[in-house]
Amino acid sequence: LLDVALKRKWAALAHKCLGLCKMVEQRMWQSQSPLRQFSQLPEKIARMLERKDIPWERYYDLKPADLGELVKLPKMGKPLHALVHKFPRLELAAHVQPVTRSLLKVELTITPDFEFDPKCHDYALLFHILVEDVDGESILHAEPFLLKEQYASEEHLVSFTVPLFDPMPPQYFLRVVSDRWLHAEASLPISFRNLLMPHRNPPPTELLDLQPLPVAQLKDKRFTALYDSKVGSHFNPVQTQAFTQLFETDDNLLLCAPSGSGKTICAEFAILRSVREAWAAGASRPSKVVYVCAKPPVVEATYKDWRARLGAPSSAGGLGLAVGLLTGEGASDLRLLEKCDLVCASAEHLDMLSRRWRQRKAVQEVGLLIADELHLLGGGGQGPTLEVVISRMRYMGSQLEAKAGKGGARIVGLACCLANAKDLGDWLGATGHSLFAFHPQVRPVPLDLSVQGFEVGHFGSRMMAMAKPCFVALHEHVDKDPDHASCLVFVPSRKQTQLSAIDLMTYAAAAGDPLFFVGAGATQEQLQAVAAADVEDPVLAQTLVKGIGMVHSGMGAKEAARVLALHRDGVLKALVAPANMCWELDCGGASLVVVMDSVFYDGREHRYADYPISDLLHMVGRAGRQGVDSKGRCLVLCHGPKKDGLVRLLGEPLPVESHLDHFLHDHLCAEIVTKTVENKQDAVDYMTWTLYWPRLAHNPNYYNLEGTSHRHLSDHLSELVEGVINDLEESRAVAVEDEMALSPLNLGMIAAYYYIAYTTVELFASSLTEKTKLRGLLEILTAASEYGELPVRMQEERALKQLAHHLPQKLAETAKFNDPHTKAHVLLQAHFSRHALPVDLAADQAMVLSSSLKLLQALVDVISSNGWLKPAIVAMECSQMMVQGLWDKDHPLLQLPHVSKDTLRRCKATENPALDGSDVESVFDLMGLEDDVRDDILRLGQSELAEVANFCNNYPNIELEYEVLDKDAVETGDAVQMVVSLEREVDDEDEDSGQVGQVTAPRYPKAKTEGWWLVVGDAKRNTLLCVKRVSLGKSLKVKLDMVAPDEAGDYNLTLYFMCDSYIGCDQEYEFNLQVAQGDDDDDDDDGDDDEDDDDEEDDGDMKD
């Protein structure tokens, strides 16, 4: 009866049924004492409590003595007090944000306020979250909430949406009711008295009934050749309607259309116009084009497509454009932007490059900016960074126009269907005829979308319940069109990918046709041959021969590419993939897309969180292949309570809101460092260039505003900027002078230079000491804010705990293995120990390593600013450990491929008479051996020996010479200069091939180029006088500037030459520096202090 009432949204009946269920289970009346539900409470005491006319809420205020007095038994006071505080009780807090005029987002914070005892509560308590209308008659939202013992002391966040009606009611009621405990209920009224509704949005753009535009309209054979095989003879209706504004004008433009509408080809129209204008003017190169997106996988896919088509020479049907991809390496990215015509970049990489736009002419020369997936502005990840980049390009254009009369870059924005497209268009400068905001139903291939709810609360059980409907949908679809059907199934996790693929194979066999999903023209024997040759995953090998493919993040790139190609060619009719890979799949879409559930497990918050709506829209957009399918079909399977919300989200255009206020600290710090923002007024003006400013007035409640007057808006913006600057000032990232002027400090410059969070640099500065060793350094490193986003999966804690037992450095007993920072620490130690990891943990380890080097370089700068030598050397050695996957005490030869402990045993003279009494201690020792002796030590085949030879050829052999200028005339506080000459021994072939400095590091997930530190310090006093980071080709001459010590004397200093990539190639040179007593006048002292300050700033900013 309760299920019926909940399904039909009858609030009063649901309450009565739930109360009756609990009364039957507990065998008590609702009017009896709630404490009767504890079996240890004597019947006599229960009756005495029931005779007292005291409300249940008052019991929480009574002390043990009061409770003992209440039942006339003082000794029962403490037991009763304990039972009262074991009774399930929750504190509720809700934050509401209007998404649209008909949809309200609720973030409910649930705080347990009782002592969880497994003897009383088992190991989990189930609650029902109910949202009722103002009359208490109808349930607007219902979902279960499970409180587990291990998380009973933590806050829990539950997010959901509820509908809003016109006229707006005064309030809703939110209740959280226990499933088993009578009287265990918390309620919270949600008042709408001060709720300001968003502005009404204009209607979407109407799709005009135009004749399809022929490709020949491009009027250039080189242009039309690009689309012969891609779109056929005509463009689709969306492309036809936008063509004139893109190809015939230079106006800024915003195009909002569903995923799969061919928006990228629309962007190419703007590129072709730029190329055509350059050719017409006789220019050798078109103006620079930059493509930016907040999703790196989309950037890489676009780069590969454009490099193959637009970058191909004219003879091969391309345009011969130089196409490049930014990598995040500052100097190389700048060179790439200078020499390329078309550059693809993620939002973060373009942000890094464009921050110093005043000094970088290549950034100022960008003539066209294509911003893709603009609806991601409203999400986490790189969305706020994309907003900052576009705002900067607009501001740069206005400054260039005011200064030189030269207009800024043309901006072409692409997004899915947005309700507030006009606001976004006004922000981009795209108005009137340059704004195309189509409805979600406007698709080149019509879409049949259906949402099916499952009233099963438990996630695993729900996935099992969804398996059969998923197979039935696939079976019916393939039956209708066996020649062209293509099915794509999205599941919540990598593990579920395997389980769902096996389920489909099992159901197909049970239906009597095990090869049902094998494409026409393919045989089981052919697929078996493919599986044997290209597949390593044993589960994939089984499903592949049955026509069911799967991809996940743990697969090798070649293996995944092979499966995707088979699905794209129709050999595999079904493909299963995790939802987090929806942006990476290069499978060309499908005629049927099934989304199995709309939630994933978030281990950091110990709950199932909804997919980002942008991800869900992208999955739905995969349905329907242009030119192949007459109609696409999408089936979304979800938890029952989420069905209504999903229907609204998928069927209506959604507004995009700015989230920049949550990520403003780091961006504002960077603008202060580059002197774009020099005072608080500049900071407020900076915010008016962003999307945040226009959205404040149009959806004030979303940003916690209480009014929309100019005074409200300006006060809110001033308070926001003031709060951010106060946080930066407290973190020692910026300085505030005269309560207005802003200037960067050393920590702020370090954060901006390395593109890391200001909180991370603050943590480094407050945690490091002059005695920090490797153990402490790793703890500080993994506590960085960057590792807070590391995913934590279901039941991963057990695997991490077992792994931690086998690591050299034991973790603290209080370590929480569901904490991302603890996980990062365990994965780094496992990397140094070379432990084999499961697929998911190996992928996470690669993420940890990718961020580690820039964090270590920032650590070195923070340590150098304090003048500590030993911690700086430890951090540099840790960088070598990261790249090579070894501990600092491991044998250097373990860096070589295929070297084992048996190999190391043969490197000892006591074990190998051929070594003539000398152990092989380094790579140089191994390279100096006779060929036969070396071959005997290694005992490898020809291919393995070739890999060893490649490593040895790349291993740096560098001659270093140094000279201290005016060494005999140094006085206290003087500026001292040292000239260091570096010469690398390099083959001519390597120099010609450009391989000099390329690191051989198979255990590091990214390509790496050598970096070096030159350090001058006093090991005895643990002081660091100078540090400089350099990149070395064949030769280099470096000038080191330092300040002589303040005390006269004879100093024994050391010059360290430290590599950031290889172990065992560092060099040390000791030299003496005699410092005489200088003048003691105040002026000189002041000058010395200034020089010290300058030196610290230079170290922090890493100026080469």
Side-chain angles (χ1 to χ4, degrees):
L1 286 174
L2 173 62
D3 283 346
V4 170
L6 288 174
K7 192 172 289 187
R8 298 192 179 183
K9 304 186 183 302
W10 294 335
L13 184 60
H15 274 294
K16 290 177 182 175
C17 289
L18 183 56
L20 189 58
C21 290
K22 292 189 283 189
M23 288 162 58
V24 171
E25 183 173 358
Q26 299 293 348
R27 299 179 67 190
M28 61 178 280
W29 293 100
Q30 192 137 6
S31 57
Q32 292 178 309
S33 171
L35 294 181
R36 275 186 178 274
Q37 296 168 92
F38 292 102
S39 58
Q40 59 265 50
L41 184 73
E43 176 72 17
K44 177 184 175 183
I45 301 297
R47 289 182 179 178
M48 293 177 69
L49 290 173
E50 287 163 2
R51 284 198 291 268
K52 306 295 181 183
D53 189 20
I54 299 177
W56 170 242
E57 290 74 20
R58 286 288 310 280
Y59 278 75
Y60 291 97
D61 302 327
L62 300 178
K63 297 177 181 178
D66 298 333
L67 288 167
E69 184 67 27
L70 191 65
V71 295
K72 309 299 184 189
L73 287 171
K75 66 178 183 180
M76 285 299 295
K78 285 187 178 179
L80 279 174
H81 186 267
L83 292 180
V84 167
H85 288 275
K86 286 181 181 178
F87 190 84
R89 186 186 186 204
L90 303 176
E91 296 287 338
L92 305 181
H95 178 62
V96 297
Q97 292 177 309
V99 179
T100 66
R101 296 181 70 87
S102 62
L103 197 65
L104 189 72
K105 180 183 178 184
V106 181
E107 290 185 347
L108 174 64
T109 303
I110 301 175
T111 308
D113 187 21
F114 66 98
E115 181 187 342
F116 202 104
D117 184 356
K119 293 179 182 177
C120 304
H121 308 121
D122 290 334
Y123 292 98
L125 282 175
L126 178 64
F127 292 86
H128 297 276
I129 299 174
L130 305 172
V131 182
E132 302 169 3
D133 64 4
V134 65
D135 301 319
E137 293 181 354
S138 178
I139 296 175
L140 303 173
H141 178 81
E143 70 172 87
F145 168 70
L146 193 66
L147 178 64
K148 296 183 179 179
E149 179 202 4
Q150 60 264 47
Y151 310 127
S153 59
E154 301 177 14
E155 282 188 351
H156 300 264
L157 181 70
V158 182
S159 298
F160 51 87
T161 57
V162 293
L164 274 175
F165 303 101
D166 198 12
M168 188 167 61
Q171 62 187 13
Y172 285 163
F173 290 99
L174 195 155
R175 303 184 195 279
V176 182
V177 188
S178 173
D179 185 64
R180 288 181 52 203
W181 290 75
L182 280 163
H183 300 282
E185 177 178 340
S187 61
L188 181 72
I190 302 175
S191 175
F192 298 149
R193 182 171 299 172
N194 298 318
L195 189 69
L196 297 173
M197 298 303 291
H199 281 203
R200 292 188 184 277
N201 295 306
T205 304
E206 183 183 354
L207 184 66
L208 303 177
D209 188 15
L210 302 174
Q211 283 290 110
L213 185 76
V215 173
Q217 192 66 28
L218 293 170
K219 298 177 181 177
D220 191 310
K221 290 183 179 179
R222 290 168 292 187
F223 293 170
T224 57
L226 297 171
Y227 302 104
D228 287 342
S229 60
K230 196 168 180 71
V231 301
S233 59
H234 291 79
F235 294 113
N236 70 37
V238 171
Q239 294 160 353
T240 298
Q241 191 161 333
F243 176 81
T244 302
Q245 287 296 320
L246 284 162
F247 194 68
E248 302 295 346
T249 73
D250 286 319
D251 297 340
N252 290 359
L253 180 137
L254 175 63
L255 174 61
C256 301
S259 295
S261 299
K263 297 190 291 290
T264 307
I265 289 178
C266 291
E268 290 176 13
F269 294 158
I271 298 174
L272 297 182
R273 173 174 175 78
S274 176
V275 172
R276 185 185 67 179
E277 295 295 309
W279 287 349
S284 58
R285 296 175 59 183
S287 58
K288 292 189 186 301
V289 179
V290 174
Y291 170 91
V292 62
C293 180
K295 288 286 184 183
V298 177
V299 176
E300 291 178 18
T302 305
Y303 164 69
K304 290 177 182 176
D305 178 38
W306 284 353
R307 185 183 60 179
R309 293 170 53 242
L310 306 182
S314 303
S315 58
L319 300 180
L321 300 180
V323 184
L325 176 69
L326 298 190
T327 60
E329 298 290 336
S332 62
D333 278 355
L334 187 57
R335 288 193 296 270
L336 193 74
L337 184 61
E338 289 171 351
K339 72 178 185 179
C340 286
D341 306 314
L342 175 55
V343 172
C344 300
S346 66
E348 285 188 355
H349 292 164
L350 187 57
D351 185 29
M352 275 189 263
L353 195 63
S354 62
R355 280 179 173 179
R356 297 184 179 274
W357 63 268
R358 295 180 190 275
Q359 293 83 31
R360 292 174 171 170
K361 191 177 179 184
V363 178
Q364 298 177 19
E365 291 175 347
V366 173
L368 172 62
L369 177 71
I370 298 169
D372 200 1
E373 310 292 353
L374 280 179
H375 52 279
L376 295 173
L377 290 172
Q382 297 188 21
T385 307
L386 180 60
E387 181 178 347
V388 166
V389 167
I390 297 172
S391 302
R392 182 181 296 131
M393 297 300 285
R394 293 179 59 240
Y395 176 73
M396 182 181 77
S398 71
Q399 293 294 303
L400 292 175
E401 189 170 5
K403 185 177 180 181
K406 172 193 171 186
R410 180 190 187 189
I411 300 177
V412 173
L414 309 174
C416 73
C417 304
L418 300 178
N420 60 337
K422 187 177 185 305
D423 285 348
L424 203 61
D426 292 342
W427 174 59
L428 294 177
T431 55
H433 297 298
S434 297
L435 175 62
F436 300 91
F438 296 108
H439 192 273
Q441 294 178 354
V442 174
R443 296 174 181 268
V445 179
L447 179 67
D448 178 11
L449 174 65
S450 54
V451 181
Q452 184 176 342
F454 289 77
E455 302 299 333
V456 182
H458 183 255
F459 174 78
S461 303
R462 190 164 66 246
M463 293 305 299
M464 292 175 67
M466 290 176 177
K468 186 65 181 286
C470 174
F471 169 76
V472 170
L474 265 63
H475 194 277
E476 289 178 354
H477 183 76
V478 174
D479 254 354
K480 289 179 182 176
D481 188 5
D483 293 332
H484 300 103
S486 174
C487 306
L488 183 56
V489 181
F490 287 107
V491 295
S493 65
R494 180 197 62 83
K495 182 179 179 182
Q496 190 62 46
T497 304
Q498 297 179 331
L499 295 176
S500 296
I502 292 171
D503 284 343
L504 291 177
M505 180 178 67
T506 305
Y507 282 124
D513 189 357
L515 304 180
F516 179 77
F517 292 107
V518 176
T523 64
Q524 188 172 10
E525 290 74 18
Q526 291 172 331
L527 290 175
Q528 285 174 342
V530 171
D534 301 328
V535 173
E536 297 178 5
D537 188 325
V539 176
L540 177 59
Q542 291 181 44
T543 61
L544 191 73
V545 297
K546 308 298 184 185
I548 303 165
M550 66 176 186
V551 291
H552 53 75
S553 56
M555 291 174 63
K558 290 184 178 178
E559 191 175 2
R562 184 71 168 128
V563 174
L564 291 173
L566 289 172
H567 180 258
R568 202 163 44 240
D569 295 340
V571 177
L572 306 178
K573 290 184 181 177
L575 177 68
V576 187
N580 59 9
M581 284 187 69
C582 66
W583 297 94
E584 303 172 31
L585 292 183
D586 180 23
C587 61
S591 52
L592 169 66
V593 171
V594 178
V595 182
M596 290 183 68
D597 218 339
S598 61
V599 297
F600 67 98
Y601 183 73
D602 186 349
R604 289 167 295 177
E605 298 183 4
H606 329 300
R607 67 186 181 99
Y608 286 95
D610 292 328
Y611 291 154
I613 185 60
S614 56
D615 288 10
L616 207 52
L617 289 170
H618 194 70
M619 291 182 228
V620 172
R622 293 276 188 174
R625 297 164 296 177
Q626 193 173 338
V628 179
D629 301 318
S630 58
K631 182 175 74 170
R633 187 184 170 207
C634 180
L635 172 64
V636 179
L637 309 177
C638 66
H639 190 199
K642 299 183 183 295
K643 178 180 176 179
D644 292 343
L646 281 176
V647 170
R648 284 175 175 269
L649 291 172
L650 295 174
E652 299 176 4
L654 288 178
V656 61
E657 301 291 352
S658 171
H659 288 193
L660 182 58
D661 51 332
H662 302 297
F663 302 88
L664 186 57
H665 294 75
D666 293 313
H667 293 295
L668 195 55
C669 178
E671 301 298 343
I672 294 170
V673 169
T674 58
K675 294 189 167 39
T676 301
V677 172
E678 295 184 322
N679 54 57
K680 291 182 180 179
Q681 185 57 47
D682 287 348
V684 173
D685 294 343
Y686 168 80
M687 289 300 296
T688 61
W689 284 92
T690 66
L691 179 64
Y692 185 80
W693 173 246
R695 287 308 296 165
L696 272 181
H698 290 174
N699 194 357
N701 257 121
Y702 194 90
Y703 302 98
N704 300 320
L705 257 75
E706 297 178 355
T708 57
S709 67
H710 185 72
R711 181 68 180 270
H712 279 105
L713 297 176
S714 59
D715 286 352
H716 175 84
L717 215 53
S718 299
E719 288 173 14
L720 174 65
V721 168
E722 190 75 35
V724 169
I725 288 174
N726 287 342
D727 290 343
L728 292 174
E729 187 180 17
E730 289 174 8
S731 304
R732 295 174 292 159
V734 302
V736 182
E737 300 165 10
D738 302 327
E739 296 187 359
M740 179 57 74
L742 304 174
S743 58
L745 297 179
N746 189 47
L747 296 184
M749 290 190 285
I750 292 173
Y753 182 86
Y754 291 109
Y755 205 82
I756 58 179
Y758 83 101
T759 51
T760 296
V761 182
E762 179 194 12
L763 171 79
F764 289 171
S766 60
S767 305
L768 289 163
T769 68
E770 58 186 332
K771 296 181 180 179
T772 300
K773 294 185 169 58
L774 181 61
R775 174 188 288 271
L777 191 87
L778 286 177
E779 290 176 356
I780 294 168
L781 177 72
T782 52
S785 303
E786 281 70 13
Y787 292 140
E789 298 300 315
L790 200 63
V792 179
R793 298 175 188 83
M794 172 97 49
Q795 299 179 345
E796 205 168 55
E797 300 166 42
R798 191 182 309 159
L800 290 171
K801 196 175 291 186
Q802 291 175 350
L803 185 59
H805 287 313
H806 301 285
L807 299 177
Q809 296 183 0
K810 301 304 177 188
L811 273 63
E813 292 184 3
T814 56
K816 294 183 178 180
F817 289 93
N818 61 353
D819 181 4
H821 301 286
T822 303
K823 178 177 178 177
H825 193 174
V826 172
L827 292 178
L828 278 186
Q829 287 204 52
H831 174 63
F832 303 146
S833 302
R834 296 191 170 181
H835 285 306
L837 296 176
V839 170
D840 288 332
L841 289 181
D844 294 339
Q845 187 184 66
M847 292 171 58
V848 172
L849 291 171
S850 297
S851 303
S852 61
L853 290 190
K854 69 176 181 181
L855 293 172
L856 278 170
Q857 289 170 13
L859 261 174
V860 170
D861 278 14
V862 173
I863 295 168
S864 304
S865 302
N866 290 295
W868 299 325
L869 176 64
K870 291 178 182 176
I873 298 297
V874 171
M876 295 171 189
E877 290 174 345
C878 189
S879 177
Q880 301 169 2
M881 294 159 51
M882 293 285 180
V883 177
Q884 295 299 337
L886 289 172
W887 289 98
D888 54 340
K889 295 180 181 178
D890 286 334
H891 200 292
L893 287 183
L894 286 174
Q895 298 173 96
L896 274 69
H898 312 297
V899 169
S900 63
K901 291 182 179 179
D902 290 336
T903 310
L904 297 182
R905 184 175 48 78
R906 293 192 292 272
C907 290
K908 293 183 178 180
T910 54
E911 301 285 338
N912 192 343
L915 295 177
D916 297 330
S918 299
D919 291 347
V920 178
E921 296 287 348
S922 69
V923 177
F924 296 119
D925 292 345
L926 185 70
M927 293 165 68
L929 295 174
E930 296 292 334
D931 290 351
D932 56 340
V933 177
R934 183 169 56 243
D935 291 346
D936 180 61
I937 289 174
L938 295 174
R939 298 181 185 177
L940 298 172
Q942 287 300 318
S943 59
E944 288 88 355
L945 279 173
E947 292 179 36
V948 173
N950 181 57
F951 180 92
C952 293
N953 290 337
N954 289 338
Y955 196 75
N957 184 6
I958 295 166
E959 293 291 332
L960 184 148
E961 295 179 358
Y962 68 94
E963 179 188 2
V964 181
L965 304 181
D966 299 326
K967 183 177 180 181
D968 300 328
V970 178
E971 296 182 348
T972 54
D974 277 358
V976 180
Q977 284 193 339
M978 172 185 272
V979 176
V980 179
S981 299
L982 304 169
E983 185 76 28
R984 183 196 296 266
E985 183 182 313
V986 60
D987 294 335
D988 293 338
E989 293 180 5
D990 291 340
E991 189 174 5
D992 294 339
S993 64
Q995 293 297 311
V996 174
Q998 292 298 315
V999 178
T1000 304
R1003 294 181 182 272
Y1004 188 70
K1006 296 163 68 175
K1008 178 78 176 72
T1009 306
E1010 286 172 19
W1012 298 84
W1013 284 283
L1014 282 163
V1015 183
V1016 178
D1018 187 337
K1020 183 178 179 181
R1021 295 177 175 83
N1022 189 25
T1023 56
L1024 185 147
L1025 301 179
C1026 173
V1027 60
K1028 193 175 186 98
R1029 184 171 166 81
V1030 297
S1031 297
L1032 176 63
K1034 184 177 181 182
S1035 60
L1036 184 68
K1037 184 172 283 190
V1038 185
K1039 186 181 289 184
L1040 302 179
D1041 297 314
M1042 63 191 111
V1043 178
D1046 293 333
E1047 295 180 7
D1050 192 4
Y1051 289 85
N1052 186 22
L1053 304 179
T1054 306
L1055 170 64
Y1056 298 88
F1057 184 49
M1058 304 288 296
C1059 185
D1060 71 348
S1061 305
Y1062 290 108
I1063 297 173
C1065 61
D1066 304 331
Q1067 301 180 36
E1068 296 180 16
Y1069 299 90
E1070 293 187 358
F1071 64 95
N1072 289 320
L1073 186 67
Q1074 292 182 344
V1075 181
Q1077 184 63 45
D1079 295 335
D1080 292 332
D1081 59 280
D1082 293 337
D1083 292 338
D1084 287 349
D1085 288 344
D1086 290 343
D1088 292 345
D1089 289 343
D1090 291 341
E1091 286 172 2
D1092 283 341
D1093 292 342
D1094 291 342
D1095 187 46
E1096 286 184 6
E1097 287 190 10
D1098 281 356
D1099 289 342
D1101 204 18
M1102 291 293 290
K1103 294 174 183 173
D1104 289 347

